[in-house]
Amino acid sequence: MSEFGYIPESPEQSFQNNKGIFTPKDIYDLTRADKYTNYGQLELIETQTANSAVVDFTNLGNYNVHFVTFNDIVLSTDNELLGHRLSNNGGSSFISTGYQFAIQYGGTGGDFGESKNTNYSSLSTLAVTGNATNETKNGYVYYYNLLDSSKYSFCTLQTFSQYTGGAEGLFGSGVKTTAETHNAIRFLTTGGNALTSGSISLYGIRYS
Amino acid sequence: MSSKLVQVNTTTITSNVSSVTLDGIDTDDVYVLIASGLTITVDTAYLHFRVTKDVGGTTTTQTSSNYAFANKIITPYTTFENFKYNSQAQMYFSNSPLGASAGESHNIYYELHNFNSASEDSYVIVSENIFNSTASNSSGSQGGLKYVVAEAHNGITITGDACQLSGGTLTLYKQVS
């Protein structure tokens, strides 16, 4: 009998190449072994509610590409930016220097421009300031190569948020030019004050 | 309505190749191309992107000057650049020379629209972040591309210009409800 209970044969099982008749336990075991064809390759790892100074994701699974959405994030303090940092020790600490980013922004109030830095404290800025009613922050980020110890970690992002000057969208990218494993992500504000509410979801893109 | 990404085609580059083609677009759904950790064999060389179509049963890269694109090149080290053409034979990644040193790689997320339609041009929403060898810095590109021929396209090709691809994973997904 094979590991997955096939009698008499033991066909090799893999994604898009499953053979046999499966019991619920077979499906469970194959899924856990990442060998069952289960469509839907955007896989939720975790959703967290923002209600503290930082929101940390310390389980990144095993993916080449990660996807994060943040929704209706409210900041406790005005004049602070939302940012994100990486960790190389599972979240025991987070790297606070040496990030490079470039952002193109455009606002309903007419403010368009560039924001960039070659040695910043965050992988990029993620949203404009503001903590008044309805000044929420929304967007998504793709992360590349976080868990690859031989490559720099990159991200691309697009967000749209509200501040006192109107609504403002931004898109851009960032990189941490250290070839090492980055196995945790932290969301925080530039001033260190709390994220009051909202949610942040981390997904892995399977087979990426 | 929720949607899923369903893998259509994938390849992991394990030895040097001059180009990579991913086909399998055969429905009117939106498709997504994700490439992570692309590496090349020659520092300060280029990669470019093209579409493919089925020609008598053979997936064939389209090399005519029908690529029109408008992207914003966003970099941490210099003024942003408008990267736009109406009739090129390809689109270069971020209009940048690419790095091949340790740690340096190139990463893209493209949405592919209307590829399966024989009566519409094919559109690509571009989002990428590569490593520029000359500036030793990242170079992002965000914008759009269209292949200005109303015909069906079944995939994409990424080709090295004065280099080969040496590593990375490329996956083509279909967005389904």
Side-chain angles (χ1 to χ4, degrees):
Chain A
M1 181 182 296
S2 76
E3 177 185 0
F4 298 110
Y6 307 113
I7 301 173
E9 297 181 351
S10 301
E12 177 66 23
Q13 302 287 349
S14 62
F15 177 69
Q16 292 187 324
N17 189 29
N18 293 120
K19 304 179 184 71
I21 300 171
F22 304 99
T23 67
K25 184 177 186 309
D26 290 335
I27 294 171
Y28 174 78
D29 290 340
L30 283 165
T31 299
R32 286 177 59 84
D34 200 22
K35 294 180 177 180
Y36 187 69
T37 304
N38 186 12
Y39 285 116
Q41 272 88 70
L42 182 62
E43 299 182 336
L44 177 65
I45 298 172
E46 185 179 12
T47 295
Q48 294 196 51
T49 299
N51 55 12
S52 60
V54 297
V55 176
D56 292 348
F57 291 91
T58 57
N59 168 25
L60 303 190
N62 183 24
Y63 302 91
N64 289 329
V65 181
H66 292 83
F67 176 59
V68 162
T69 61
F70 55 96
N71 181 49
D72 277 337
I73 295 293
V74 175
L75 306 183
S76 64
T77 307
D78 202 2
N79 299 317
E80 294 188 351
L81 295 168
L82 185 65
H84 49 157
R85 290 176 177 170
L86 305 176
S87 170
N88 58 15
N89 55 20
S92 297
S93 62
F94 287 83
I95 301 162
S96 60
T97 187
Y99 299 99
Q100 305 172 358
F101 79 90
I103 297 292
Q104 171 76 44
Y105 61 84
T108 57
D111 52 331
F112 282 74
E114 304 174 2
S115 176
K116 53 185 181 285
N117 198 308
T118 56
N119 184 16
Y120 194 57
S121 59
S122 167
L123 185 55
S124 72
T125 57
L126 289 172
V128 291
T129 61
N131 72 332
T133 301
N134 293 324
E135 291 185 352
T136 61
K137 322 303 175 192
N138 309 277
Y140 63 80
V141 186
Y142 287 94
Y143 297 90
Y144 305 88
N145 314 318
L146 290 179
L147 300 176
D148 189 332
S149 62
S150 69
K151 294 186 174 72
Y152 301 163
S153 292
F154 292 78
C155 78
T156 59
L157 59 99
Q158 186 162 8
T159 73
F160 198 63
S161 307
Q162 181 74 26
Y163 76 121
T164 53
E168 183 164 291
L170 57 86
F171 60 82
S173 50
V175 65
K176 182 72 178 81
T177 55
T178 306
E180 62 183 6
T181 299
H182 294 123
N183 48 13
I185 306 169
R186 165 171 286 180
F187 294 86
L188 74 172
T189 66
T190 50
N193 290 299
L195 289 67
T196 303
S197 63
S199 63
I200 305 177
S201 296
L202 170 67
Y203 301 82
I205 299 180
R206 196 181 186 196
Y207 308 116
S208 57
Chain B
M1 183 179 69
S2 62
S3 63
K4 297 177 180 177
L5 291 178
V6 176
Q7 184 200 75
V8 173
N9 200 346
T10 189
T11 187
T12 297
I13 301 167
T14 56
S15 60
N16 296 348
V17 292
S18 58
S19 66
V20 173
T21 294
L22 291 180
D23 59 12
I25 296 175
D26 57 5
T27 70
D28 293 335
D29 296 292
V30 173
Y31 287 75
V32 174
L33 171 69
I34 299 177
S36 64
L38 290 179
T39 55
I40 58 175
T41 55
V42 178
D43 199 43
T44 315
Y46 294 83
L47 290 175
H48 52 67
F49 171 90
R50 291 186 173 114
V51 302
T52 64
K53 74 173 182 180
D54 186 322
V55 180
T58 300
T59 294
T60 306
T61 302
Q62 300 304 290
T63 58
S64 299
S65 297
N66 293 313
Y67 293 86
F69 49 87
N71 298 324
K72 196 74 172 181
I73 306 298
I74 44 179
T75 64
Y77 61 92
T78 190
T79 302
F80 298 175
E81 172 191 357
N82 295 328
F83 178 39
K84 57 183 176 59
Y85 287 96
N86 276 325
S87 56
Q88 290 293 98
Q90 68 283 308
M91 182 182 73
Y92 286 88
F93 280 21
S94 286
N95 198 28
S96 295
L98 305 181
S101 300
E104 298 174 359
S105 72
H106 319 292
N107 310 276
I108 69 173
Y109 182 98
Y110 290 176
E111 282 187 7
L112 315 180
H113 296 257
N114 300 337
F115 268 52
N116 193 52
S117 172
S119 60
E120 297 177 274
D121 298 347
S122 293
Y123 287 77
V124 180
I125 297 175
V126 172
S127 177
E128 65 193 32
N129 192 6
I130 62 88
F131 203 85
N132 182 302
S133 62
T134 304
S136 290
N137 222 308
S138 75
S139 180
S141 179
Q142 306 252 359
L145 167 150
K146 65 183 293 189
Y147 189 72
V148 196
V149 179
E151 62 183 13
H153 299 111
N154 67 344
I156 64 89
T157 295
I158 292 172
T159 306
D161 182 345
C163 69
Q164 292 183 303
L165 292 101
S166 57
T169 298
L170 302 95
T171 306
L172 180 66
Y173 300 91
K174 176 168 59 177
Q175 284 186 359
V176 297
S177 301

